[in-house]
Amino acid sequence: MSDTNDGKHGLHAPSIHTPVWVSDFQKFIMRGNVLDLAVGVVIGAAFTGIVNSAVKDLLTPVIGMLTGGVDFSNIFVTLKGPHEATLADAQKAGAVTLNIGVFLNAVIQFLIVAFFVFWVTRIVGKLHRQEEATPAAPPPPSKEEVLLTQIRDLLASGKASS
């Protein structure tokens, strides 16, 4: 006897029931806010590359020039190990370092991101408030309202009684 349902022997293939949590998970994933969040994460990751480049390639050199050519990434304190001229050399030599410049770069990057997000939310908020301030034209009256208005006007004029 085979395990397949060939219609002759009355055997039935076992049915596979999908657990309830699978459909709940599918509903959760397909919600609009979850998809919006996913899009936001992807856009945020792309935006991070732009901000990193702005900090590293544009701002840090200018700030370094204004501070006399100081490269923030090489501001560090050696806690243990050989004292080297650059952070890369110290790390190569296995020294334990306190990376103050790397931290300063991260703070600058955070401030730039916060500044951009502030202005974007401010502009979007102003646009949203302008939409709310402009009232939409009222919808035209329904057929029932038109008929009731006509009946009211006829009754008020006294022509409906004749």
Side-chain angles (χ1 to χ4, degrees):
M1 239 185 204
S2 67
D3 289 338
T4 60
N5 184 2
D6 58 9
K8 297 178 186 174
H9 301 290
L11 294 177
H12 299 283
S15 62
I16 300 173
H17 295 288
T18 306
V20 174
W21 66 266
V22 171
S23 64
D24 289 345
F25 181 69
Q26 287 173 337
K27 289 176 190 171
F28 171 75
I29 288 297
M30 296 312 293
R31 282 179 156 169
N33 53 359
V34 172
L35 294 175
D36 291 344
L37 178 62
V39 169
V41 167
V42 170
I43 296 286
F47 189 66
T48 299
I50 293 170
V51 172
N52 285 340
S53 176
V55 171
K56 180 182 172 192
D57 301 327
L58 301 176
L59 292 177
T60 302
V62 171
I63 294 171
M65 188 176 71
L66 294 174
T67 59
V70 176
D71 180 11
F72 283 168
S73 62
N74 281 319
I75 299 174
F76 67 99
V77 175
T78 303
L79 300 175
K80 182 180 177 185
H83 296 276
E84 300 289 341
T86 66
L87 179 61
D89 291 340
Q91 289 175 338
K92 254 190 240 177
V96 177
T97 58
L98 188 63
N99 304 327
I100 298 167
V102 174
F103 176 74
L104 287 175
N105 284 341
V107 169
I108 291 169
Q109 181 178 352
F110 169 77
L111 292 174
I112 291 170
V113 170
F115 186 72
F116 285 159
V117 170
F118 166 76
W119 280 105
V120 168
T121 56
R122 185 176 171 139
I123 291 169
V124 169
K126 283 186 178 184
L127 291 174
H128 185 66
R129 277 185 247 124
Q130 285 177 353
E131 287 176 5
E132 289 176 354
T134 309
S142 67
K143 291 180 182 179
E144 292 84 6
E145 290 174 327
V146 171
L147 288 173
L148 288 172
T149 303
Q150 291 172 349
I151 293 170
R152 181 200 63 204
D153 293 345
L154 285 172
L155 288 173
S157 69
K159 293 182 182 177
S161 59
S162 47

